[in-house]
Structure formats: structure tokens, C-alpha cells
Amino acid sequence: MEATTFTNVQIERAQRLRLRRCLLSCLFYAASASLLAVACGMGLFPRNALYLVLVSFFCTPALFVAVIATGANLRCRDPSLTEAQIAAAMLNCTLVLTFAGPLRGIVMFAYLLPLQFGAFALTTPVLLRLCLIPAAGLPFAIAASHWLGMRGAALELELVQWMALMLVLPFTAYVAGRLFEYTRYKRLSDHDELSGLYNRRAALAYLDQLTRLSTPNQVEFCVAVLDFDHFKQINDRFGHAAGDEVIRGFALLARDNLRKGDVIARWGGEEFVVVLHGDSEQARNSIERLRMACASHVVTAIGGAVTLSAGLARHLPGESIASVIERADHALYAAKRAGRNRTELASLPLDRRQAGTAP
């Protein structure tokens, strides 16, 4: 599969999210530092070691924030730096364990916390690889502690505690990795491979859920059916690879120009369905913004822009999914007949028109 490209807007949005997650890790370090300060006040953790740990706790998240803020992370295979951040947190745990003394049996389970951050982002092999850090780190911390004269529990007990950790950590990594795999498979089943948008099955499931909520809760929404103009001519003239580029480029435009909460799915071929919350005017403004963005976007493979036509229907109380999509589809064909590159509003069903229902 070809590498996915992203617009500058999407990259900036992803960077802001990564920064927020990185800043969230600062809370983890701050909470850990507070607990160590309490332990130090109770005489359970050496004061000089606390200063060293606090410096490490401050520098670690600051380094990752700086890397993401400057955009240097975009050159990495994983721009979120998830594995690196978990590894750094585990190394900091090892540093604390070196000076934990009698607290080592409790503190060592802090290794479990960083693994949770990789539950939906890292595969099982990567998480198991990260378990090698505590596997080697805890014996190193025990040896360094004894070398510094900071003895904790008996060596036999420390060995049993290490064995217990080695039993719990791989199991936790396996479960966390399975969560990632489930999320990945769920995405593959719900998303179109070419465009990355929701597929028909996911869109129907979403509409089914929405229609169940709409009538009792007065949730207002519209459905639009979109179709590229003269798409067959693009495939015939420039080849199917060019047609694929048109679809991928449109998916990026849709993510940037639709409102937050609007859901777009690839319905089939060059046809798309958009579910838009709000009334007809709000929905039409959103579709028009996307249509004009598409008309002004130059597709490299064809050396020009591709226009699209849209049919928009407001969901009526008690109306079925098939009915609202059919009305939007009829409006789409009306837009085609009216000259293309336009949005048409759907008419009411015959029974509603006869009953005088307002559009």
C-alpha cells in the first residue's frame, strides 16, 4: 500500500495532540515526585537521591516536549514517540529503585504504569521488548543499592520479588498488546482501505444508532450523498492510479473542511455519504465548504481539479435510513441534471408532502 500523506492542517492537529499527551505524562512524573517527597520526609528515601530523581523527572518530559514542539519527531517512524517515552519512564523507575531500599518491593510495580500508555499504540512484541528494561533494571538497581551500602530486604526476598515482577509484566504487556491489535482490526473492519474513511458498513451502523436516538431526543441531522463529476473519464484518460489519488486527496480535504462531529464514509466507488448534525442550512454550509475546497484543489495526477455534486436530505422524525438516503440520492441526480458541481436539497417524501409536513 502506498504511504499515507497528510495535509499541514492534519499534521499540526496531530502535533497538538501529541503535545497534550506528553504534557499529561508530566502529571505522572509530578505525582511520583510528590510521593517520593513524602517518603523522604518520613525518612524512607534519601534526600540527596531525591534531588537527583527530581532532576531526571523534570528533564525527561521536558526533552520529549522540546522534540515534539520543534517537529523533530516527524522524522521518526513513530512520531508520537510512545515506545521511547515508555522506555524513559521505566529507566526512571530503575533510578528510583536504586535508592528505594526497604520500599523496593512496592515501588517496583511502578514499572506497570508506563506499559498502560502503550495499550492502544504498541504491538505485543514491542511491549514485551520493553519488559527487558525492568528484567535487567531491577537486578541492576539491587546490585547498585548494595554497592552504595543502601541495603533493603534480604537478597532471597528481593529475588522472589523480581520473579513476581517477571510474571506480572509480560502478562500485562500481552494484554495491552491484544488491546492494540483489537483496535487495529476494528479499524480495518470499519474503514475503507484506500481513503481511510469509514466504510459503508460502519456508516450504516452509525446511522442506525443515530436514528434510534433522533426521535425521542429530538436529535436533528442530515444526510448528504456526494459523487465526483465525470469520474469515469478520469479513470479512462489518466488511469485508475490517478482515480485513486483523487479519492485519497478528497478524503484529506473532507477531514479538514467538514465540521467536528460530521461523519463521512466511502459508500462505494466514487460515491460518499456524509452524516451532518444540525439543520439543513448548517449541513448545506458544511457541504458547500467541502465542495468548493474540492473544486479548488489541484490533483497532481491529472493536473487540475475535480468537482463533485451533492444531494442533501434532512432526516424526518420516524424516517428510515433507506428513505433518507434515497431522497439524498435523488437530490444528487437532480444536481447532476442541473449542471453538476452544485448541492441540491432533497424534496419531502410523497406522504409527507400530502400531509403538509414542513421541510
Side-chain angles (χ1 to χ4, degrees):
M1 185 188 305
E2 294 182 21
T4 303
T5 56
F6 299 95
T7 64
N8 290 334
V9 173
Q10 290 173 318
I11 292 174
E12 291 172 5
R13 189 181 303 157
Q15 286 291 84
R16 287 195 297 269
L17 178 60
R18 289 166 186 142
L19 271 177
R20 285 198 296 269
R21 289 175 178 172
C22 197
L23 291 173
L24 183 63
S25 70
C26 295
L27 297 178
F28 167 75
Y29 283 107
S32 301
S34 300
L35 290 174
L36 288 177
V38 171
C40 181
M42 298 173 64
L44 299 175
F45 197 84
R47 186 173 299 275
N48 291 337
L50 177 63
Y51 296 146
L52 175 63
V53 169
L54 289 179
V55 170
S56 181
F57 278 12
F58 173 79
C59 292
T60 301
L63 174 62
F64 286 108
V65 168
V67 170
I68 294 175
T70 58
N73 63 309
L74 297 176
R75 294 192 291 268
C76 301
R77 179 184 301 178
D78 174 21
S80 297
L81 305 176
T82 305
E83 183 179 0
Q85 292 191 65
I86 293 175
M90 286 185 163
L91 289 173
N92 276 308
C93 287
T94 302
L95 176 63
V96 173
L97 286 168
T98 302
F99 306 101
L103 296 177
R104 193 153 37 234
I106 299 174
V107 176
M108 70 177 187
F109 285 100
Y111 278 125
L112 293 170
L113 297 178
L115 279 180
Q116 309 311 310
F117 287 94
F120 295 98
L122 300 177
T123 63
T124 300
V126 173
L127 291 168
L128 289 174
R129 184 170 67 216
L130 286 167
C131 290
L132 295 176
I133 295 176
L138 183 56
F140 173 83
I142 294 171
S145 178
H146 280 259
W147 182 73
L148 293 171
M150 304 173 61
R151 299 184 181 276
L155 283 176
E156 293 82 359
L157 179 58
E158 301 247 50
L159 175 62
V160 172
Q161 290 172 343
W162 177 79
M163 292 172 63
L165 182 66
M166 290 302 96
L167 177 66
V168 173
L169 269 180
F171 178 76
T172 304
Y174 174 78
V175 172
R178 294 294 293 175
L179 287 174
F180 169 78
E181 290 166 9
Y182 168 78
T183 305
R184 183 177 62 181
Y185 295 144
K186 181 76 166 57
R187 176 175 174 80
L188 289 174
S189 67
D190 287 347
H191 288 74
D192 172 61
E193 184 178 10
L194 176 62
S195 64
L197 302 175
Y198 284 115
N199 57 24
R200 187 186 187 111
R201 188 191 68 82
L204 285 172
Y206 179 75
L207 278 168
D208 179 65
Q209 182 182 29
L210 198 56
T211 51
R212 292 174 188 273
L213 295 172
S214 62
T215 301
N217 298 287
Q218 296 183 337
V219 176
E220 194 171 18
F221 71 92
C222 300
V223 174
V225 178
L226 284 62
D227 186 87
F228 292 119
D229 298 327
H230 307 295
F231 189 75
K232 184 178 183 302
Q233 295 179 13
I234 295 174
N235 281 333
D236 292 343
R237 182 180 176 186
F238 299 99
H240 288 280
D244 290 348
E245 183 179 332
V246 170
I247 291 174
R248 283 194 295 266
F250 172 74
L252 297 177
L253 288 174
R255 294 189 186 104
D256 288 343
N257 288 278
L258 290 175
R259 299 169 302 172
K260 186 177 181 181
D262 292 341
V263 174
I264 181 169
R266 188 181 180 196
W267 200 244
E270 70 275 17
E271 197 170 60
F272 300 83
V273 163
V274 188
V275 183
L276 306 110
H277 293 267
D279 56 31
S280 299
E281 183 179 356
Q282 294 170 327
R284 181 165 190 162
N285 290 337
S286 185
I287 292 298
E288 281 291 283
R289 183 168 57 251
L290 175 58
R291 183 185 63 80
M292 290 186 288
C294 184
S296 61
H297 174 70
V298 177
V299 180
T300 305
I302 65 175
V306 179
T307 62
L308 59 84
S309 301
L312 180 66
R314 181 173 67 87
H315 177 258
L316 303 173
E319 185 178 18
S320 67
I321 298 172
S323 174
V324 67
I325 292 177
E326 182 181 14
R327 290 195 298 116
D329 201 44
H330 288 163
L332 167 64
Y333 283 102
K336 296 279 190 182
R337 289 192 299 269
R340 295 183 170 85
N341 192 23
R342 57 189 294 124
T343 302
E344 289 287 338
L345 293 178
S347 59
L348 292 172
L350 180 61
D351 58 338
R352 307 269 179 149
R353 290 201 299 269
Q354 292 173 342
T357 305

